Amino acid sequence: MSSLIKLLPENVANQIAAGEVVQRPSSVVKELLENSVDCGSKNIKLIIKHAGKTLIQVIDDGLGMNSDDLSLCYVRHATSKIRKPKDLFDLKTMGFRGEALSSIASVSHLSITSNQISDKNLGNEIKLEGGKIISKDEVLCKKGTSISVKNLFFNIPARRNFLKSDNVELRHIIDEFHRVALINHNTNFIFINNENEIFNLKKSIFKERIVRIFGKSTKEKLVPINELTQIANIEGFIIKPEYSRKTKTSQFFFVNNRFVRNSHLHHAVRSAYEGMIVENHQPSYYLQFSVPKDSIDVNIHPNKTEIKFDNDQSIYAILKSAIKHSLGQFNICPSIDFDNSINLNTPYNYKNKKATIPNIDFNKSYNPFDISIDSTQNIDLNPETSIEKESLFQNIFAENVSQTSFSAFQFDNSYIITKISSGMVIIDQKRAHQRILYEKFLSELSFDNNVSQALIFPVKLDLNTTEIRFLMEAKTSLIHLGFNFSKFTKNQVEVSSIHPVFSENQIHDIFQTLINNQMSDYKNNSDSLNDYISKVLAKCSAIKNGDNLGIAQQESLVNDLFACKEANISPFNKLIFKVISLESIKKMFFK
Ligand SMILES: Nc1ncnc2c1ncn2[C@@H]1O[C@H](COP(=O)(O)OP(=O)(O)OP(=O)(O)O)[C@@H](O)[C@H]1O
Ligand SMILES: [Mg+2]
């Protein structure tokens, strides 16, 4: 009988291996940036087209490669970074597996130009398609290396089709860029996306790099961490508890300069914040660990972001106590930020203005003991609409629900319980209000003349380039909804008026939620930008579970809900109300 087992051809083996290293364009960005860092570059430039689907190029001024290196660098297991097994526990570089370039080469059109000698502008260029060499020539080029990856996954249509929209893929690329650029703060980075420069980061200290990437407002939120022990040195910054957010936040662990994911360490941070932040909120952190090279194992997964510590229990304890210590110190003596002195923020015209005596106007005929005046008028949640919608509500609910004798009560400050002819309805107040507001915002987005509420002083938002880029997309819809901007620059936005359902102190939260949720499921599941904006605004302004509602508010909520186009489910696909039929109530009592 002939033997069945055959060795796979090299290109098939490479394609299989590539599946682990190159999952999407951002994986290529990570590997190329890390290679440029490993070869000692001072300047690194990343150029992207169509979220990396058509082009990813990284240009550096590092060590470069000679002609022989160039012929070997794309071969699987070819590396200049380690030689013997022991080297795995003495890693000085990000790469060591010798498989990134071979994986990338096998699923793209790859071209590498490199030169090792600075005073000779002559180097070599190699071109490959699907891992096969197409050409190798001498070319004019500066010292350093330029690697271009075109038509990623051209030979694996299933992979290419699996890629998400340009926006989502770009977000992944930006995340990888953040990880490399943050920790390599002594290197200059430029990032160009579709011919627009989105980052130009000059060599700086760690804190400045954080602020340059995540926006000026981050500066006042940071609390330093500095813990030096024999097992590990931990340095960096955590965010003040009041700035924790429910949405995705910045969470970075770097171990010996490598970005790593580690749920155990994350748990240590979370538990240090216990009692200081709401349970479902997330703290941001930017933490660097220096540990002896032989006390960690990085060779766990091909993407090299998992790590095993010899002393993980001790590191957990050190990290937790370092954070608790810094948070404690911060609580006792809050820092004074001289860059943000209140006087400096006072608008020029108001600084020397004389205070005028306020005019007090009162109704001289008002008698508080006159019972004919109803001083306890209830405030309606949505006064313009509730009167008109009461009739609709009556159509849905049976005749015997009388409008004048609206009977409902709030249970656990979260549910409104009311009756219909066939039984009773339990309504989740938060989800119901989200639905009402969502439909309100959506319909306002399709009509002109929406009301707007001007702010006395514009609210400043310091944002980074990526955040501004997203807001730019959303700007027209937001203006349509009554938001106005007195300033809209590369790194700052000033909000001068808002939609009337919001209050001034909600502005930071609304904009941060709008920006942070771009990656969330409900952004991906939204039909359009307007749909997404309506969802976020509804989420931010809806009443919460735990909010106590007066009887008029309860009534208005029920009326408005059943006037909605889709009263059953919230904008986030959650059940809003449940009907318990009279039949089933009777059954409970064996009637
Ligand atoms: N930008 C660059 N400048 C100089 N040499 C480079 C550059 N990129 C790659 N090389 C060389 O090519 C080799 C192969 O790169 P590759 O990324 O495939 O493997 P690696 O970095 O050694 O390990 P890993 O697969 O873990 O990234 C590197 O070891 C390095 O010698
Ligand atoms: Mg590498």
Side-chain angles (χ1 to χ4, degrees):
M1 217 167 124
S2 64
S3 51
L4 297 174
I5 301 177
K6 298 268 181 297
L7 267 181
L8 283 175
E10 200 178 309
N11 59 337
V12 180
N14 277 345
Q15 253 192 38
I16 294 172
E20 297 225 60
V21 181
V22 189
Q23 280 135 14
R24 53 190 347 139
S26 63
S27 335
V28 175
V29 169
K30 168 189 182 285
E31 294 300 335
L32 297 187
L33 289 177
E34 287 188 349
N35 277 347
S36 295
V37 167
D38 281 348
C39 68
S41 310
K42 291 195 167 56
N43 294 286
I44 300 177
K45 191 170 183 177
L46 168 65
I47 302 170
I48 296 292
K49 286 214 172 113
H50 302 116
K53 291 172 190 168
T54 39
L55 173 75
I56 299 166
Q57 184 176 16
V58 172
I59 307 166
D60 67 49
D61 59 353
L63 213 54
M65 288 180 270
N66 66 20
S67 172
D68 292 343
D69 289 341
L70 211 53
S71 305
L72 207 57
C73 69
Y74 65 89
V75 176
R76 198 138 64 101
H77 305 312
T79 181
S80 56
K81 301 174 189 174
I82 59 169
R83 293 270 178 275
K84 41 192 185 311
K86 228 176 80 197
D87 295 344
L88 279 173
F89 297 94
D90 188 24
L91 289 173
K92 298 174 186 74
T93 51
M94 296 297 108
F96 57 89
R97 298 173 64 103
E99 62 184 3
L101 286 185
S102 76
S103 299
I104 296 167
S106 69
V107 293
S108 68
H109 294 169
L110 178 71
S111 133
I112 311 176
T113 310
S114 200
N115 169 15
Q116 267 188 334
I117 307 162
S118 41
D119 51 4
K120 203 175 96 192
N121 279 345
L122 195 64
N124 295 283
E125 182 182 53
I126 192 164
K127 288 188 174 167
L128 299 125
E129 280 184 16
K132 294 249 165 343
I133 182 148
I134 302 294
S135 65
K136 186 176 173 193
D137 298 299
E138 263 196 343
V139 288
L140 285 176
C141 61
K142 286 194 187 144
K143 186 189 173 227
T145 303
S146 163
I147 304 188
S148 312
V149 177
K150 291 185 181 157
N151 305 327
L152 186 64
F153 300 133
F154 78 99
N155 48 356
I156 318 180
R159 266 284 159 113
R160 208 173 160 84
N161 294 339
F162 168 78
L163 294 179
K164 295 266 165 41
S165 69
D166 281 10
N167 243 337
V168 174
E169 293 301 337
L170 182 62
R171 192 65 246 177
H172 284 289
I173 291 177
I174 292 171
D175 284 347
E176 290 297 352
F177 177 81
H178 285 167
R179 289 166 191 158
V180 179
L182 261 177
I183 191 66
N184 294 292
H185 49 94
N186 286 323
T187 308
N188 300 319
F189 282 92
I190 293 179
F191 180 175
I192 294 172
N193 172 50
N194 291 341
E195 261 122 60
N196 296 320
E197 184 178 280
I198 59 174
F199 284 104
N200 187 341
L201 305 170
K202 296 272 175 290
K203 170 182 172 170
S204 62
I205 56 168
F206 188 47
K207 184 172 181 183
E208 194 183 329
R209 183 60 54 101
I210 298 174
V211 173
R212 288 293 301 268
I213 292 181
F214 295 103
K216 260 208 269 175
S217 63
T218 321
K219 189 172 165 195
E220 69 208 64
K221 301 178 186 168
L222 299 175
V223 181
I225 297 281
N226 202 338
E227 190 74 35
L228 309 182
T229 69
Q230 288 200 324
I231 295 172
N233 292 345
I234 307 175
E235 288 171 283
F237 299 89
I238 52 170
I239 211 105
K240 292 178 188 170
E242 65 265 34
Y243 294 110
S244 66
R245 290 278 175 272
K246 218 190 282 180
T247 46
K248 183 179 171 273
T249 41
S250 308
Q251 298 179 332
F252 298 91
F253 290 127
F254 300 100
V255 177
N256 293 354
N257 286 353
R258 179 188 305 280
F259 169 79
V260 299
R261 298 168 209 277
N262 191 305
S263 53
H264 193 52
L265 293 183
H266 176 73
H267 190 269
V269 179
R270 283 267 355 177
S271 59
Y273 273 91
E274 212 166 81
M276 286 185 233
I277 59 176
V278 186
E279 205 181 312
N280 56 356
H281 275 203
Q282 292 285 340
S284 292
Y285 48 81
Y286 314 83
L287 294 169
Q288 304 185 32
F289 295 70
S290 307
V291 296
K293 293 197 195 91
D294 59 356
S295 71
I296 50 169
D297 186 358
V298 185
N299 195 20
I300 311 276
H301 187 272
N303 69 21
K304 299 160 281 182
T305 54
E306 273 172 52
I307 199 164
K308 262 209 168 86
F309 292 94
D310 279 357
N311 299 311
D312 61 344
Q313 291 308 327
S314 316
I315 291 179
Y316 181 101
I318 296 168
L319 175 61
K320 187 173 168 181
S321 90
I323 292 180
K324 271 190 173 287
H325 179 72
S326 285
L327 287 174
Q329 254 188 350
F330 158 72
N331 275 344
I332 296 161
C333 46
S335 63
I336 299 167
D337 191 344
F338 290 102
D339 293 347
N340 259 327
S341 147
I342 294 166
N343 290 339
L344 291 178
N345 283 342
T346 313
Y348 177 76
N349 290 340
Y350 285 80
K351 263 196 223 167
N352 306 320
K353 206 173 169 183
K354 271 200 178 153
T356 47
I357 299 166
N359 271 332
I360 300 166
D361 195 12
F362 59 93
N363 179 359
K364 290 182 184 129
S365 61
Y366 178 69
N367 174 2
F369 300 104
D370 180 355
I371 49 163
S372 65
I373 301 168
D374 179 9
S375 58
T376 56
Q377 276 175 9
N378 280 310
I379 301 152
D380 198 334
L381 273 177
N382 194 351
E384 325 130 298
T385 50
S386 60
I387 298 165
E388 174 195 328
K389 285 171 184 172
E390 266 161 16
S391 53
L392 262 160
F393 163 61
Q394 281 181 308
N395 292 342
I396 294 164
F397 283 79
E399 319 73 56
N400 59 356
V401 177
S402 140
Q403 188 193 323
T404 45
S405 63
F406 175 80
S407 55
F409 69 95
Q410 195 186 17
F411 178 69
D412 198 28
N413 281 350
S414 300
Y415 303 96
I416 309 299
I417 299 179
T418 188
K419 62 176 182 179
I420 54 173
S421 62
S422 60
M424 71 184 205
V425 200
I426 307 174
I427 301 167
D428 181 309
Q429 64 184 44
K430 179 174 129 191
R431 294 176 189 177
H433 201 205
Q434 283 177 347
R435 165 54 65 183
I436 295 162
L437 290 172
Y438 165 71
E439 291 199 6
K440 176 181 162 68
F441 291 131
L442 254 192
S443 87
E444 284 183 8
L445 275 166
S446 44
F447 292 111
D448 286 337
N449 303 327
N450 290 317
V451 256
S452 168
Q453 177 190 322
L455 300 170
I456 301 176
F457 298 116
V459 173
K460 279 188 192 150
L461 304 169
D462 291 315
L463 301 168
N464 65 38
T465 344
T466 328
E467 295 171 332
I468 294 279
R469 202 177 53 81
F470 168 71
L471 274 194
M472 208 53 206
E473 274 177 47
K475 192 176 167 192
T476 320
S477 306
L478 289 169
I479 291 176
H480 197 96
L481 269 179
F483 289 88
N484 269 310
F485 304 96
S486 47
K487 190 173 169 191
F488 213 109
T489 64
K490 253 170 113 183
N491 49 15
Q492 200 180 56
V493 162
E494 266 181 23
V495 184
S496 53
S497 56
I498 54 177
H499 188 286
V501 293
F502 296 106
S503 62
E504 190 178 332
N505 55 16
Q506 285 179 301
I507 296 177
H508 276 98
D509 222 25
I510 300 164
F511 280 84
Q512 216 52 60
T513 317
L514 264 176
I515 292 163
N516 290 349
N517 276 298
Q518 277 187 85
M519 288 277 289
S520 69
D521 280 350
Y522 61 87
K523 171 75 200 267
N524 293 337
N525 296 335
S526 291
D527 307 333
S528 62
L529 186 65
N530 282 352
D531 182 61
Y532 168 68
I533 292 173
S534 306
K535 279 181 185 165
V536 171
L537 296 186
K539 199 178 169 89
C540 290
S541 51
I543 49 169
K544 306 279 178 287
N545 287 335
D547 287 352
N548 183 265
L549 304 184
I551 190 73
Q553 289 175 308
Q554 293 172 27
E555 184 175 357
S556 169
L557 188 84
V558 174
N559 290 339
D560 292 346
L561 172 67
F562 290 102
C564 282
K565 288 192 188 123
E566 174 56 89
N568 289 299
I569 51 162
S570 81
F572 310 102
N573 289 330
K574 303 230 170 95
L575 188 71
I576 295 179
F577 67 89
K578 190 132 183 91
V579 177
I580 303 179
S581 68
L582 192 58
E583 273 312 296
S584 55
I585 297 174
K586 280 181 179 164
K587 264 193 201 149
M588 281 181 215
F589 294 93
F590 306 103
K591 288 185 186 165

